[in-house]
Amino acid sequence: MRLRALLETDALGLRLLGGEDELDRTVRGVMTTDLRDPSRYLSGGELVLTGLAWRRDPEDSERFVRILTAAGVAGLAAGEAEIASTPDDLIAACARHRMPLFSVDETVSFASITEHVVRQVSSERAGDLAAVVDRHRRLMTGGPAGGGPEVVLDLLGTDLDLRAWVLSPTGRRIAGSSLADAGPGLSAETGAALAGEHLAASRTGRRGPHRVTAGGSTYSLFPVGGTARAASAADVRETVLSDWLLAVEADAGDWPAERLDLLHGVTQLIAVERDRRDAARTVRRRLAQEVLELVQAGAAPAEIAARLRVAAPVLLPGLGTAPHWQVVVARVEWEGGDVPGGPVAQALLEEVLVDQDSTGPEPTDRIAVAHTGDEAVALVPLPAVVTGPDEPLTGAGLHADALLAAVREPLERGLDGDGRLTFGVSAAVHSAEGLRGALEEARHARRVAAARPGRVCAAGHQELASHVLLLPFVPDDVRRAFTARLLDPLRDYDRRHRAELIPTLEAFLDCDGSWTRCATRLHLHVNTLRYRVGRIEQLTGRDLSRLEDKLDFFLALRMS
């Protein structure tokens, strides 16, 4: 049963003092206590009833609530029979720990509340208890070690008729049940939307499952954090951008406690698979780190090539010879700088540098990622596709725009206004000699991306062959002064007269100063276009027939 149901039962005399957002917590039992430390008698999910006899001074409230939170208690109800009102320090402690707090009317006994909760919980458990025990046994004997996440999800389909998927933080399908695959699949758009909702909920600290409507269906989202990673993380931001989630096509809001327990058990089994995969990446990470250190130190290409040949059986299983390479650099920055960005960016690259159409937990076997400082660097092997013995690889590999489109929407939700992610993608190189240049190219591209607005930005090597390379290194105050001097007079005129001088200037430059082509694009008579350009020149004191003035306007528009 839910805390909300207790609050809605008038006979229980409960009044909510805090924790309205947590009323969907499941109550699995009830306990009455006035012990200062009741933790040994708590197993999680209880409604704790107390007369506050344990409270000697205001500091006791913080300690008591912290103990209940650590034990996984569903809520706390304080009796008012011996006190005039619930102490403010207890209300504040519960708010800090997101613990729902109720007051119990002095006319209602704790025994009445206990009897009601026990009766409701017992009736809900009676129907499914034996089946749940059997399902747990089958899940433990047929879990990931015996066939991967699909085995666990198939049991959800056959036993509970549930369609379920394991998704990456960007919404890529990692695994799905046979029942899920038998019907309409989970579209990429829906997967991304679910991942975004999950990341947003995780950042707020709300407990799962999270109920979401997407694509006309209702889903319940359960977090799947790697057990080892979650245990070592001091801040949710260390893992939120790389954690998996379990998406179940159902509304878990009215599920009995046993079914929720079963789904949480499923996430634990999938987390074991996640930890196994992370452990398998350890060697690839170490080898990538060694190659990166050689490249950064300016080692001879022959030395780097020799190290790659030694690492090939691990980094490139099944490929035989070293392919072409691309380098991707990523940086994650959190406001305050209290969360290291390098490990976060490393785990994130391992999740996002995957073909979004691929499935399964192991498509990153051939992507090696290292981190140094606050940035992560990925060595991405590419098939050696050439059209002739001396012709470079073209049209293959990662493209910054495609990478950005695949990950931006959900990851922006996870960054939640206090984080920023920037990518830089190099061109493909065909030998160890090119790796140092590729690394520098990717870093330059990432700096170009960092100069753009937005929480998630990417830039590729194609953008480094023009003036764009210079813009990120112009100080912000210089850029603002430069654009204001050229464009503010035009913006002011447009606001007062609706003259559309700025759009006219953009079109004129895009058409390389061709009066005919620009007039056609804007659906204007050439004389009208000449009048507008004349007004631009009059307001700014510039001459659009001069190359220098054209270039200044072009740069101002790009920096604005």
Side-chain angles (χ1 to χ4, degrees):
M1 66 179 306
R2 306 281 176 175
L3 286 174
R4 190 181 305 278
L6 293 175
L7 186 63
E8 294 170 350
T9 304
D10 295 337
L12 298 182
L14 296 177
R15 181 167 59 91
L16 182 66
L17 301 180
E20 183 176 359
D21 293 338
E22 302 293 330
L23 290 179
D24 284 328
R25 291 188 183 186
T26 299
V27 179
R28 298 182 177 90
V30 63
M31 177 187 178
T32 300
T33 183
D34 278 316
L35 294 174
R36 292 170 64 85
D37 183 1
S39 58
R40 76 188 71 177
Y41 304 111
L42 297 170
S43 58
E46 295 93 345
L47 173 67
V48 172
L49 307 174
T50 181
L52 302 182
W54 46 265
R55 183 180 177 276
R56 304 285 193 276
D57 51 60
E59 289 73 22
D60 290 339
S61 294
E62 170 67 23
R63 180 175 180 273
F64 186 79
V65 175
R66 187 168 62 246
I67 289 171
L68 299 190
T69 301
V73 165
L76 173 63
E80 295 183 343
E82 301 293 331
I83 57 174
S85 62
T86 303
D88 290 341
D89 50 270
L90 179 60
I91 296 174
C94 287
R96 282 193 297 272
H97 292 278
R98 304 177 69 90
M99 175 64 65
L101 176 64
F102 306 85
S103 66
V104 182
D105 190 274
E106 64 182 64
T107 62
V108 179
S109 69
F110 284 177
S112 299
I113 297 175
T114 300
E115 180 181 358
H116 177 85
V117 172
V118 170
R119 184 169 61 249
Q120 292 296 319
V121 171
S122 297
S123 62
E124 289 175 358
R125 286 179 175 173
D128 284 340
L129 186 56
V132 168
V133 171
D134 181 62
R135 290 189 190 109
H136 272 292
R137 177 185 60 78
R138 292 169 57 192
L139 287 172
M140 293 304 295
T141 57
E150 287 83 358
V151 173
V152 181
L153 300 185
D154 281 345
L155 288 178
L156 290 180
T158 57
D159 285 15
L160 300 181
D161 197 30
L162 291 176
R163 284 161 40 93
W165 299 265
V166 178
L167 303 178
S168 79
T170 61
R172 181 180 67 87
R173 178 187 179 280
I174 293 171
S177 64
S178 298
L179 181 63
D181 293 336
L186 191 72
S187 69
E189 292 77 12
T190 300
L194 295 179
E197 293 289 345
H198 166 71
L199 289 172
S202 298
R203 288 302 310 277
T204 64
R206 288 192 284 121
R207 298 173 60 175
H210 313 300
R211 285 171 286 167
V212 176
T213 299
S217 299
T218 299
Y219 299 86
S220 296
L221 310 180
F222 296 79
V224 179
T227 53
R229 298 161 65 251
S232 62
D235 191 305
V236 67
R237 292 175 295 177
E238 295 180 31
T239 59
V240 67
L241 296 183
S242 56
D243 279 346
W244 293 353
L245 67 139
L246 174 66
V248 181
E249 191 178 28
D251 186 347
D254 56 355
W255 282 3
E258 289 79 11
R259 180 167 288 197
L260 286 173
D261 285 343
L262 175 62
L263 267 294
H264 287 300
V266 168
T267 64
Q268 291 170 5
L269 291 170
I270 296 172
V272 172
E273 172 70 19
R274 175 67 188 272
D275 286 342
R276 183 196 66 76
R277 188 204 61 167
D278 283 348
R281 284 178 170 170
T282 302
V283 176
R284 289 202 301 281
R285 287 175 172 175
R286 179 172 56 80
L287 292 174
Q289 195 76 40
E290 292 175 0
V291 173
L292 176 61
E293 290 172 358
L294 287 175
V295 172
Q296 292 187 128
E303 184 179 357
I304 299 173
R307 194 72 196 91
L308 285 173
R309 283 195 298 272
V310 172
V314 176
L315 295 182
L316 314 169
L319 289 187
T321 59
H324 291 76
W325 297 91
Q326 272 182 288
V327 175
V328 179
V329 171
R331 189 180 185 95
V332 175
E333 298 170 290
W334 301 103
E335 292 180 7
D338 53 339
V339 177
V344 177
Q346 180 182 42
L348 180 60
L349 278 184
E350 289 172 338
E351 290 295 335
V352 304
L353 290 182
V354 179
D355 181 354
Q356 295 297 304
D357 294 328
S358 66
T359 61
E362 302 294 352
T364 55
D365 272 347
R366 293 175 182 152
I367 297 172
V369 187
H371 74 83
T372 174
D374 284 333
E375 76 174 10
V377 179
L379 300 176
V380 183
L382 303 173
V385 179
V386 293
T387 56
D390 299 319
E391 297 180 38
L393 178 145
T394 58
L398 294 167
H399 294 271
D401 290 344
L403 177 63
L404 183 63
V407 305
R408 177 165 52 192
E409 180 179 349
L411 293 184
E412 282 181 343
R413 306 289 301 280
L415 292 165
D416 191 37
D418 67 344
R420 192 150 194 260
L421 167 65
T422 50
F423 294 103
V425 182
S426 79
V429 295
H430 67 278
S431 66
E433 286 86 348
L435 281 178
R436 182 173 177 80
L439 175 60
E440 291 306 313
E441 189 174 59
R443 283 175 169 162
H444 277 302
R446 192 207 64 77
R447 286 193 286 270
V448 169
R452 295 170 175 167
R455 289 288 169 185
V456 183
C457 297
H461 61 93
Q462 302 92 337
E463 300 177 62
L464 303 186
S466 71
H467 62 279
V468 179
L469 177 61
L470 304 176
L471 298 186
F473 308 104
V474 178
D476 287 345
D477 54 347
V478 175
R479 294 167 64 162
R480 284 193 292 269
F482 179 73
T483 57
R485 185 167 62 252
L486 278 178
L487 301 183
D488 279 2
L490 306 183
R491 292 183 178 127
D492 291 342
Y493 191 88
D494 280 348
R495 276 195 296 270
R496 287 185 282 111
H497 301 284
R498 296 182 181 180
E500 298 187 353
L501 296 185
I502 291 288
T504 300
L505 176 61
E506 291 174 332
F508 187 72
L509 295 175
D510 284 345
C511 294
D512 299 322
S514 169
W515 298 98
T516 304
R517 284 194 288 123
C518 184
T520 301
R521 176 185 293 190
L522 296 176
H523 306 290
L524 297 175
H525 191 277
V526 172
N527 288 342
T528 303
L529 176 60
R530 291 185 184 277
Y531 172 80
R532 288 187 183 180
V533 170
R535 179 63 69 183
I536 291 171
E537 293 175 335
Q538 179 186 18
L539 291 170
T540 61
R542 298 298 185 106
D543 183 352
L544 277 168
S545 66
R546 299 177 66 247
L547 176 61
E548 294 86 348
D549 288 344
K550 286 181 181 177
L551 180 58
D552 282 351
F553 277 122
F554 183 77
L555 291 174
L557 288 168
R558 290 301 298 264
M559 288 191 292
S560 65

